[in-house]
Amino acid sequence: MIKLYYTLFFARHIFSILIICSLILSCQSERESALTEGKLLAGKYCSSCHLFPEPALLDKKTWINGVLPAMAGQLGIEVLQGNVYLTDKKSALTGKEWSRLVEYYKTLAPDTLQKAAVPVVAANDWCHFVLKKPEEDPGAVSSTTMVAIDEKNHRILTSSSERSAIYEYSSNLEIILSSDLPSAAIDISFAQQPGQDDIITCMGGMQAMDNTKGQVLKYRQKNGKADLLSSDLIRPIQTRPLDYNKDGLQDYVVCAFGHNRGGLYILKQNADHTFGKVPVREVPGATQSIVQDFNHDGWPDIMTLFAHGDEGIWLFLNNQRGGFTAKNIMRFPPSFGSSSFQLIDMDKDGNEDIVYTAGDNSDYSRILKPYHGIYIYKNTGNLHFEKSYFYPVNGCTKAIAADFDKDGDTDVAVIAFFADFKSNPAQTFLYFEHVNEDITFKPHVIPVTANGRWICMDANDYDNDGDTDIVLGNYSKGFLNQENVKPSWNIHTPFVVLENNILNKKSK
């Protein structure tokens, strides 16, 4: 009897254990099925607009509270206080499908992003630079939107969102001319031939909005006069000249960066010298273009960085019939915050490589990201590029590559507007000294952090001494993504110059 009791007792427990195991396996199977479905949905709907965003790119909190609610609207879904609402009958997903997609990111995203390992610790020194500053205005908070060195006339030109104007400074950093503009200038393209005018791009407003109209202007430095070429573009941020149809009339390629609107356009000059707008790629985020004959057929082509949503670099080959054939060169996830690129031969193999920065951090994921920084992509031939260098720089904004130390190779200057002001504010400006023929650098932290917060940069020979100087523009209004961070830098100096003294050093 006792034996039978124990047999039944163990049988009941084994049966219970089997049921529990079955339930656990069933739950695991259902969970795995839900995650698989969530991944498929993310691949279908997210990848239809941009490169597939891996969950590991952002932490859970940023996905759930920032990015996914913002993206829901693109799919006809509204998320309000955690509740999901279908905004119309054309919603791309059902409520259940959206929950599966969210659960995929919530489950697989890390709690926090790990900091990137720094390959080489930066030296803290002035290297071969000397700090120069103009007179500051103690009554104004600097809101510089553009700095540019006019090497031919040995002047520095700036603009500010505080007052819509352009300022010209002498090589002694004294204002010699100021002219009103319809809105703040963000870019200037200096005349390449005698008799030509400079071209100024005024963005209309700092925020990337679809109702912001900017202007493209012809500008004459001699008298500060500006003539309007266009006022019909959504927040234009760069303009470059080209005669894209080879009719002898000067046209312009313009990058326009709105929120859901904007794109890459040609301002085509008509026979009566008016201008019409020709779309090249009408998607938001066009940031920067380089014009040259990439396929060597005698016609100007365009390479453009798009830095919003579908981030990447596209090549537009001139079809010689008034249009272009698009070819994607590189794509980046939408959280990268692409901010600048430059074509330059970094390793002296005869092919132009890409120097690229990621770090724009003013969207829905305002956190420090380990993949922000400076990248170099080696051109292996036929415009195929492979990553050969990365150095992490939080909030990296722009890089300029040039032979700053006059030793025959190419160095790089880098600014970071969205730097880690709590833990590593010195990264607002870095100088990468090229140390051998391979793509290897010795980084330097140039101690200018206390002098401003750098949003724009240019490099050229402003003092006519034969080497390349650097000018940094200070923007100290808002855009503080980190909590409890207040400006610890000078907020009244509009810009600073890092005067290059490498030739003086060598002569000694």
Side-chain angles (χ1 to χ4, degrees):
M1 190 70 182
I2 294 174
K3 184 177 180 181
L4 178 61
Y5 172 79
Y6 280 110
T7 300
L8 293 173
F9 176 80
F10 284 115
R12 283 196 299 268
H13 278 73
I14 290 171
F15 183 70
S16 298
I17 291 171
L18 289 174
I19 291 176
I20 292 171
C21 289
S22 177
L23 290 172
I24 291 173
L25 291 173
S26 176
C27 289
Q28 287 179 339
S29 177
E30 184 178 348
R31 182 169 177 269
E32 290 174 0
S33 176
L35 290 178
T36 299
E37 183 183 355
K39 182 177 181 180
L40 291 173
L41 290 167
K44 178 180 179 179
Y45 292 102
C46 301
S47 298
S48 65
C49 296
H50 47 65
L51 194 65
F52 179 76
E54 296 287 349
L57 288 170
L58 301 170
D59 61 74
K60 294 183 192 297
K61 181 179 178 181
T62 303
W63 277 120
I64 302 306
N65 298 332
V67 173
L68 290 175
M71 294 302 101
Q74 304 294 326
L75 301 171
I77 293 173
E78 183 180 353
V79 179
L80 184 62
Q81 295 181 345
N83 298 312
V84 176
Y85 302 93
L86 304 185
T87 57
D88 55 47
K89 295 180 181 180
K90 296 182 180 179
S91 298
L93 289 81
T94 65
K96 182 179 178 181
E97 287 174 329
W98 174 253
S99 297
R100 291 283 173 92
L101 188 153
V102 171
E103 189 64 26
Y104 167 68
Y105 284 97
K106 183 178 179 180
T107 302
L108 297 184
D111 292 329
T112 58
L113 298 185
Q114 297 297 314
K115 290 185 178 180
V118 177
V120 180
V121 177
N124 192 332
D125 57 29
W126 285 99
C127 206
H128 45 79
F129 295 102
V130 175
L131 182 68
K132 302 287 185 180
K133 297 189 293 183
E135 183 177 352
E136 66 179 55
D137 182 356
V141 177
S142 294
S143 56
T144 304
T145 56
M146 182 194 79
V147 289
I149 297 175
D150 180 7
E151 184 178 48
K152 183 175 64 175
N153 297 307
H154 314 301
R155 295 181 181 182
I156 292 175
L157 282 76
T158 74
S159 189
S160 166
S161 63
E162 179 70 19
R163 177 193 165 198
S164 297
I166 189 164
Y167 301 90
E168 295 186 28
Y169 289 79
S170 69
S171 57
N172 295 324
L173 305 187
E174 297 174 343
I175 295 179
I176 55 178
L177 182 65
S178 65
S179 304
D180 290 336
L181 297 173
S183 64
I186 190 172
D187 177 73
I188 184 167
S189 177
F190 292 113
Q192 300 300 309
Q193 302 293 333
Q196 292 182 343
D197 298 316
D198 303 330
I199 302 298
I200 292 177
T201 307
C202 300
M203 61 182 166
M206 283 295 292
Q207 292 185 324
M209 300 176 67
D210 292 333
N211 60 354
T212 300
K213 293 291 184 75
Q215 303 83 26
V216 179
L217 308 163
K218 282 185 177 181
Y219 179 71
R220 299 173 182 84
Q221 284 195 42
K222 288 184 178 180
N223 56 18
K225 185 179 179 182
D227 295 329
L228 184 67
L229 292 180
S230 172
S231 59
D232 190 36
L233 290 160
I234 303 295
R235 199 170 169 269
I237 59 174
Q238 190 209 47
T239 306
R240 291 293 178 265
L242 82 169
D243 181 3
Y244 89 109
N245 54 3
K246 298 183 73 171
D247 63 355
L249 298 174
Q250 186 69 78
D251 311 306
Y252 301 93
V253 58
V254 185
C255 294
F257 195 144
H259 182 62
N260 293 312
R261 298 177 61 193
L264 184 69
Y265 300 92
I266 298 288
L267 287 181
K268 177 182 178 293
Q269 186 171 179
N270 302 314
D272 61 356
H273 303 299
T274 60
F275 287 86
K277 185 174 67 174
V278 179
V280 179
R281 185 173 187 250
E282 205 162 19
V283 299
T287 299
Q288 179 188 350
S289 291
I290 295 172
V291 177
Q292 64 184 56
D293 183 3
F294 287 96
N295 57 0
H296 311 293
D297 65 353
W299 289 70
D301 309 306
I302 307 165
M303 186 178 286
T304 301
L305 173 67
F306 285 79
H308 180 66
D310 193 9
E311 298 191 17
I313 297 173
W314 272 260
L315 174 62
F316 302 94
L317 294 172
N318 199 317
N319 66 14
Q320 305 180 22
R321 298 186 302 276
F324 295 87
T325 301
K327 176 183 179 183
N328 178 246
I329 301 297
M330 308 177 76
R331 288 182 87 192
F332 308 105
S335 62
F336 257 48
S338 301
S339 48
S340 77
F341 85 113
Q342 182 178 351
L343 285 173
I344 190 167
D345 187 358
M346 295 295 296
D347 54 5
K348 300 181 182 179
D349 66 350
N351 293 321
E352 287 186 315
D353 309 300
I354 289 178
V355 179
Y356 161 85
T357 59
D360 185 1
N361 216 11
S362 59
D363 53 12
Y364 306 111
S365 57
R366 300 179 182 183
I367 59 172
L368 300 176
K369 299 167 185 172
Y371 42 85
H372 276 177
I374 174 175
Y375 294 76
I376 295 176
Y377 292 91
K378 178 179 170 58
N379 187 345
T380 59
N382 297 319
L383 294 174
H384 178 265
F385 297 89
E386 295 180 355
K387 188 174 79 172
S388 61
Y389 183 82
F390 170 68
Y391 193 95
V393 180
N394 285 305
C396 195
T397 304
K398 186 174 183 178
I400 296 180
D403 184 7
F404 290 102
D405 57 9
K406 308 297 285 186
D407 64 352
D409 55 25
T410 305
D411 316 296
V412 187
V414 171
I415 57 171
F417 184 65
F418 293 104
D420 181 359
F421 289 104
K422 283 186 175 180
S423 303
N424 197 4
Q427 274 199 336
T428 54
F429 180 80
L430 289 166
Y431 170 66
F432 291 83
E433 177 188 359
H434 206 152
V435 294
N436 57 41
E437 291 187 1
D438 193 7
I439 300 179
T440 307
F441 298 91
K442 178 182 178 182
H444 299 260
V445 171
I446 309 298
V448 293
T449 305
N451 294 281
R453 184 184 181 192
W454 319 121
I455 197 172
C456 49
M457 170 175 61
D458 195 24
N460 227 318
D461 184 6
Y462 95 101
D463 54 2
N464 198 30
D465 65 352
D467 53 29
T468 302
D469 310 296
I470 299 170
V471 58
L472 307 174
N474 179 12
Y475 194 96
S476 292
K477 287 195 168 184
F479 295 101
L480 290 169
N481 289 347
Q482 294 173 294
E483 294 181 0
N484 302 318
V485 170
K486 296 181 179 179
S488 58
W489 53 87
N490 186 312
I491 64 172
H492 303 299
T493 302
F495 67 91
V496 300
V497 175
L498 295 176
E499 188 177 278
N500 193 343
N501 278 349
I502 188 64
L503 295 179
N504 290 338
K505 279 191 171 184
K506 289 186 174 183
S507 65
K508 294 177 182 179

